[in-house]
Amino acid sequence: RYLELQQNRFPHRFDYKVTIDAASAECFTHKLLLQPFLENSIIHGFEKIQYKGHIEVTINMLAHKYIVIKIWDNGSGMSRDKIKQVNRMFYSRNEKYDFGIGLQNIAYRIYRYYNGKAKVYASTDGKLTCFTLFIPTNI
């Protein structure tokens, strides 16, 4: 619903597609887990682009053990160094990073809510930015 609301707010700034497979359609995640990723795409990723942005979210089941959520956008992207820093942030619990509150909150929620068993991986090909979440189904 967040994407729908934001698209109504910024009708020509971006479009989106959400695909959920049947096996994961009845699964639940922490209520504020995805929103900061989407917000970052809209606010930061699409802020300086001259073309229409696109966000895609896919949700699939992996071996009945994990829900795999991929969120990608075609915005202005993140440098490879920034991607490395983001990945380190999601895997180190004690280090402090100078990222926005949204990503830090996601790292905290994932660790606390999923007892350290969920994983997040950020990637880029220079044009697209993708966050892949592996959420355990047995929590």
PDB file of all heavy atoms in Angstrom, residues 1-17:
ATOM      1  N   ARG A   1       0.819  -1.203   0.000  1.00  0.00           N
ATOM      2  CA  ARG A   1       0.000   0.000   0.000  1.00  0.00           C
ATOM      3  C   ARG A   1       0.861   1.265   0.000  1.00  0.00           C
ATOM      4  O   ARG A   1       0.432   2.290  -0.507  1.00  0.00           O
ATOM      5  CB  ARG A   1      -0.933   0.000   1.212  1.00  0.00           C
ATOM      6  CG  ARG A   1      -1.941  -1.120   1.204  1.00  0.00           C
ATOM      7  CD  ARG A   1      -3.023  -0.776   0.221  1.00  0.00           C
ATOM      8  NE  ARG A   1      -3.840  -1.940  -0.040  1.00  0.00           N
ATOM      9  CZ  ARG A   1      -4.249  -2.279  -1.241  1.00  0.00           C
ATOM     10  NH1 ARG A   1      -3.930  -1.578  -2.277  1.00  0.00           N
ATOM     11  NH2 ARG A   1      -4.974  -3.326  -1.429  1.00  0.00           N
ATOM     12  N   TYR A   2       2.053   1.161   0.610  1.00  0.00           N
ATOM     13  CA  TYR A   2       2.934   2.321   0.648  1.00  0.00           C
ATOM     14  C   TYR A   2       3.277   2.788  -0.767  1.00  0.00           C
ATOM     15  O   TYR A   2       3.231   3.989  -1.066  1.00  0.00           O
ATOM     16  CB  TYR A   2       4.213   1.993   1.427  1.00  0.00           C
ATOM     17  CG  TYR A   2       5.208   3.119   1.434  1.00  0.00           C
ATOM     18  CD1 TYR A   2       5.027   4.222   2.266  1.00  0.00           C
ATOM     19  CD2 TYR A   2       6.318   3.104   0.602  1.00  0.00           C
ATOM     20  CE1 TYR A   2       5.920   5.278   2.264  1.00  0.00           C
ATOM     21  CE2 TYR A   2       7.220   4.155   0.596  1.00  0.00           C
ATOM     22  CZ  TYR A   2       7.018   5.232   1.423  1.00  0.00           C
ATOM     23  OH  TYR A   2       7.901   6.274   1.418  1.00  0.00           O
ATOM     24  N   LEU A   3       3.596   1.843  -1.655  1.00  0.00           N
ATOM     25  CA  LEU A   3       3.922   2.212  -3.029  1.00  0.00           C
ATOM     26  C   LEU A   3       2.727   2.854  -3.733  1.00  0.00           C
ATOM     27  O   LEU A   3       2.889   3.826  -4.479  1.00  0.00           O
ATOM     28  CB  LEU A   3       4.400   0.990  -3.812  1.00  0.00           C
ATOM     29  CG  LEU A   3       5.784   0.489  -3.466  1.00  0.00           C
ATOM     30  CD1 LEU A   3       6.072  -0.827  -4.173  1.00  0.00           C
ATOM     31  CD2 LEU A   3       6.839   1.528  -3.795  1.00  0.00           C
ATOM     32  N   GLU A   4       1.557   2.327  -3.478  1.00  0.00           N
ATOM     33  CA  GLU A   4       0.348   2.888  -4.073  1.00  0.00           C
ATOM     34  C   GLU A   4       0.138   4.337  -3.619  1.00  0.00           C
ATOM     35  O   GLU A   4      -0.160   5.221  -4.436  1.00  0.00           O
ATOM     36  CB  GLU A   4      -0.850   2.023  -3.688  1.00  0.00           C
ATOM     37  CG  GLU A   4      -2.142   2.389  -4.332  1.00  0.00           C
ATOM     38  CD  GLU A   4      -3.264   1.447  -3.922  1.00  0.00           C
ATOM     39  OE1 GLU A   4      -3.014   0.253  -3.686  1.00  0.00           O
ATOM     40  OE2 GLU A   4      -4.400   1.932  -3.822  1.00  0.00           O
ATOM     41  N   LEU A   5       0.318   4.572  -2.333  1.00  0.00           N
ATOM     42  CA  LEU A   5       0.165   5.929  -1.798  1.00  0.00           C
ATOM     43  C   LEU A   5       1.196   6.883  -2.388  1.00  0.00           C
ATOM     44  O   LEU A   5       0.874   8.003  -2.782  1.00  0.00           O
ATOM     45  CB  LEU A   5       0.274   5.913  -0.277  1.00  0.00           C
ATOM     46  CG  LEU A   5      -0.869   5.246   0.477  1.00  0.00           C
ATOM     47  CD1 LEU A   5      -0.523   5.109   1.957  1.00  0.00           C
ATOM     48  CD2 LEU A   5      -2.153   6.021   0.295  1.00  0.00           C
ATOM     49  N   GLN A   6       2.442   6.422  -2.464  1.00  0.00           N
ATOM     50  CA  GLN A   6       3.490   7.290  -2.988  1.00  0.00           C
ATOM     51  C   GLN A   6       3.322   7.549  -4.492  1.00  0.00           C
ATOM     52  O   GLN A   6       3.640   8.627  -4.973  1.00  0.00           O
ATOM     53  CB  GLN A   6       4.875   6.705  -2.702  1.00  0.00           C
ATOM     54  CG  GLN A   6       5.238   6.732  -1.241  1.00  0.00           C
ATOM     55  CD  GLN A   6       5.347   8.152  -0.681  1.00  0.00           C
ATOM     56  OE1 GLN A   6       5.060   9.155  -1.317  1.00  0.00           O
ATOM     57  NE2 GLN A   6       5.760   8.237   0.568  1.00  0.00           N
ATOM     58  N   GLN A   7       2.816   6.553  -5.214  1.00  0.00           N
ATOM     59  CA  GLN A   7       2.587   6.772  -6.635  1.00  0.00           C
ATOM     60  C   GLN A   7       1.462   7.789  -6.849  1.00  0.00           C
ATOM     61  O   GLN A   7       1.522   8.591  -7.773  1.00  0.00           O
ATOM     62  CB  GLN A   7       2.279   5.472  -7.357  1.00  0.00           C
ATOM     63  CG  GLN A   7       2.328   5.663  -8.859  1.00  0.00           C
ATOM     64  CD  GLN A   7       2.185   4.391  -9.622  1.00  0.00           C
ATOM     65  OE1 GLN A   7       1.325   3.580  -9.290  1.00  0.00           O
ATOM     66  NE2 GLN A   7       3.017   4.212 -10.629  1.00  0.00           N
ATOM     67  N   ASN A   8       0.461   7.775  -5.990  1.00  0.00           N
ATOM     68  CA  ASN A   8      -0.582   8.802  -6.058  1.00  0.00           C
ATOM     69  C   ASN A   8      -0.002  10.183  -5.755  1.00  0.00           C
ATOM     70  O   ASN A   8      -0.424  11.182  -6.330  1.00  0.00           O
ATOM     71  CB  ASN A   8      -1.720   8.491  -5.092  1.00  0.00           C
ATOM     72  CG  ASN A   8      -2.587   7.356  -5.573  1.00  0.00           C
ATOM     73  OD1 ASN A   8      -2.686   7.101  -6.770  1.00  0.00           O
ATOM     74  ND2 ASN A   8      -3.204   6.662  -4.642  1.00  0.00           N
ATOM     75  N   ARG A   9       0.957  10.218  -4.868  1.00  0.00           N
ATOM     76  CA  ARG A   9       1.605  11.471  -4.498  1.00  0.00           C
ATOM     77  C   ARG A   9       2.532  11.971  -5.603  1.00  0.00           C
ATOM     78  O   ARG A   9       2.629  13.168  -5.844  1.00  0.00           O
ATOM     79  CB  ARG A   9       2.397  11.244  -3.214  1.00  0.00           C
ATOM     80  CG  ARG A   9       2.991  12.453  -2.627  1.00  0.00           C
ATOM     81  CD  ARG A   9       3.617  12.131  -1.285  1.00  0.00           C
ATOM     82  NE  ARG A   9       4.346  13.267  -0.795  1.00  0.00           N
ATOM     83  CZ  ARG A   9       5.346  13.213   0.049  1.00  0.00           C
ATOM     84  NH1 ARG A   9       5.724  12.041   0.521  1.00  0.00           N
ATOM     85  NH2 ARG A   9       5.954  14.286   0.442  1.00  0.00           N
ATOM     86  N   PHE A  10       3.264  11.048  -6.247  1.00  0.00           N
ATOM     87  CA  PHE A  10       4.217  11.369  -7.317  1.00  0.00           C
ATOM     88  C   PHE A  10       3.856  10.568  -8.568  1.00  0.00           C
ATOM     89  O   PHE A  10       4.566   9.642  -8.948  1.00  0.00           O
ATOM     90  CB  PHE A  10       5.644  11.022  -6.897  1.00  0.00           C
ATOM     91  CG  PHE A  10       6.085  11.642  -5.603  1.00  0.00           C
ATOM     92  CD1 PHE A  10       6.282  10.870  -4.476  1.00  0.00           C
ATOM     93  CD2 PHE A  10       6.323  13.015  -5.527  1.00  0.00           C
ATOM     94  CE1 PHE A  10       6.708  11.439  -3.283  1.00  0.00           C
ATOM     95  CE2 PHE A  10       6.748  13.595  -4.343  1.00  0.00           C
ATOM     96  CZ  PHE A  10       6.936  12.803  -3.212  1.00  0.00           C
ATOM     97  N   PRO A  11       2.761  10.894  -9.242  1.00  0.00           N
ATOM     98  CA  PRO A  11       2.229  10.041 -10.312  1.00  0.00           C
ATOM     99  C   PRO A  11       3.146   9.841 -11.513  1.00  0.00           C
ATOM    100  O   PRO A  11       3.070   8.809 -12.166  1.00  0.00           O
ATOM    101  CB  PRO A  11       0.938  10.741 -10.730  1.00  0.00           C
ATOM    102  CG  PRO A  11       1.078  12.137 -10.264  1.00  0.00           C
ATOM    103  CD  PRO A  11       1.968  12.110  -9.062  1.00  0.00           C
ATOM    104  N   HIS A  12       4.019  10.763 -11.793  1.00  0.00           N
ATOM    105  CA  HIS A  12       4.865  10.639 -12.975  1.00  0.00           C
ATOM    106  C   HIS A  12       6.323  10.347 -12.624  1.00  0.00           C
ATOM    107  O   HIS A  12       7.162  10.291 -13.516  1.00  0.00           O
ATOM    108  CB  HIS A  12       4.775  11.910 -13.826  1.00  0.00           C
ATOM    109  CG  HIS A  12       3.365  12.217 -14.225  1.00  0.00           C
ATOM    110  ND1 HIS A  12       2.653  11.428 -15.098  1.00  0.00           N
ATOM    111  CD2 HIS A  12       2.526  13.206 -13.833  1.00  0.00           C
ATOM    112  CE1 HIS A  12       1.447  11.918 -15.247  1.00  0.00           C
ATOM    113  NE2 HIS A  12       1.332  12.995 -14.484  1.00  0.00           N
ATOM    114  N   ARG A  13       6.608  10.164 -11.356  1.00  0.00           N
ATOM    115  CA  ARG A  13       7.995   9.970 -10.919  1.00  0.00           C
ATOM    116  C   ARG A  13       8.453   8.525 -11.049  1.00  0.00           C
ATOM    117  O   ARG A  13       9.615   8.270 -11.326  1.00  0.00           O
ATOM    118  CB  ARG A  13       8.123  10.433  -9.473  1.00  0.00           C
ATOM    119  CG  ARG A  13       9.523  10.540  -8.987  1.00  0.00           C
ATOM    120  CD  ARG A  13       9.534  11.218  -7.650  1.00  0.00           C
ATOM    121  NE  ARG A  13      10.882  11.565  -7.269  1.00  0.00           N
ATOM    122  CZ  ARG A  13      11.177  12.122  -6.134  1.00  0.00           C
ATOM    123  NH1 ARG A  13      10.246  12.407  -5.262  1.00  0.00           N
ATOM    124  NH2 ARG A  13      12.421  12.402  -5.833  1.00  0.00           N
ATOM    125  N   PHE A  14       7.536   7.567 -10.822  1.00  0.00           N
ATOM    126  CA  PHE A  14       7.934   6.163 -10.864  1.00  0.00           C
ATOM    127  C   PHE A  14       6.725   5.273 -11.094  1.00  0.00           C
ATOM    128  O   PHE A  14       5.585   5.673 -10.911  1.00  0.00           O
ATOM    129  CB  PHE A  14       8.656   5.754  -9.573  1.00  0.00           C
ATOM    130  CG  PHE A  14       7.748   5.609  -8.379  1.00  0.00           C
ATOM    131  CD1 PHE A  14       7.276   4.364  -8.006  1.00  0.00           C
ATOM    132  CD2 PHE A  14       7.362   6.710  -7.635  1.00  0.00           C
ATOM    133  CE1 PHE A  14       6.433   4.220  -6.909  1.00  0.00           C
ATOM    134  CE2 PHE A  14       6.524   6.576  -6.536  1.00  0.00           C
ATOM    135  CZ  PHE A  14       6.057   5.323  -6.179  1.00  0.00           C
ATOM    136  N   ASP A  15       7.020   4.031 -11.495  1.00  0.00           N
ATOM    137  CA  ASP A  15       6.007   2.985 -11.493  1.00  0.00           C
ATOM    138  C   ASP A  15       6.577   1.804 -10.706  1.00  0.00           C
ATOM    139  O   ASP A  15       7.742   1.834 -10.305  1.00  0.00           O
ATOM    140  CB  ASP A  15       5.578   2.591 -12.912  1.00  0.00           C
ATOM    141  CG  ASP A  15       6.716   2.054 -13.760  1.00  0.00           C
ATOM    142  OD1 ASP A  15       7.790   1.721 -13.225  1.00  0.00           O
ATOM    143  OD2 ASP A  15       6.537   1.967 -14.978  1.00  0.00           O
ATOM    144  N   TYR A  16       5.751   0.818 -10.472  1.00  0.00           N
ATOM    145  CA  TYR A  16       6.221  -0.313  -9.671  1.00  0.00           C
ATOM    146  C   TYR A  16       5.490  -1.588 -10.058  1.00  0.00           C
ATOM    147  O   TYR A  16       4.431  -1.552 -10.677  1.00  0.00           O
ATOM    148  CB  TYR A  16       6.050  -0.044  -8.181  1.00  0.00           C
ATOM    149  CG  TYR A  16       4.615   0.020  -7.717  1.00  0.00           C
ATOM    150  CD1 TYR A  16       3.971  -1.128  -7.249  1.00  0.00           C
ATOM    151  CD2 TYR A  16       3.892   1.210  -7.742  1.00  0.00           C
ATOM    152  CE1 TYR A  16       2.651  -1.077  -6.823  1.00  0.00           C
ATOM    153  CE2 TYR A  16       2.586   1.267  -7.315  1.00  0.00           C
ATOM    154  CZ  TYR A  16       1.974   0.120  -6.858  1.00  0.00           C
ATOM    155  OH  TYR A  16       0.664   0.164  -6.437  1.00  0.00           O
ATOM    156  N   LYS A  17       6.092  -2.695  -9.659  1.00  0.00           N
ATOM    157  CA  LYS A  17       5.495  -4.012  -9.859  1.00  0.00           C
ATOM    158  C   LYS A  17       5.821  -4.856  -8.631  1.00  0.00           C
ATOM    159  O   LYS A  17       6.961  -4.875  -8.173  1.00  0.00           O
ATOM    160  CB  LYS A  17       6.072  -4.663 -11.119  1.00  0.00           C
ATOM    161  CG  LYS A  17       5.519  -6.041 -11.385  1.00  0.00           C
ATOM    162  CD  LYS A  17       6.129  -6.627 -12.650  1.00  0.00           C
ATOM    163  CE  LYS A  17       5.589  -8.031 -12.884  1.00  0.00           C
ATOM    164  NZ  LYS A  17       6.254  -8.648 -14.053  1.00  0.00           N
TER     165      LYS A  17
END
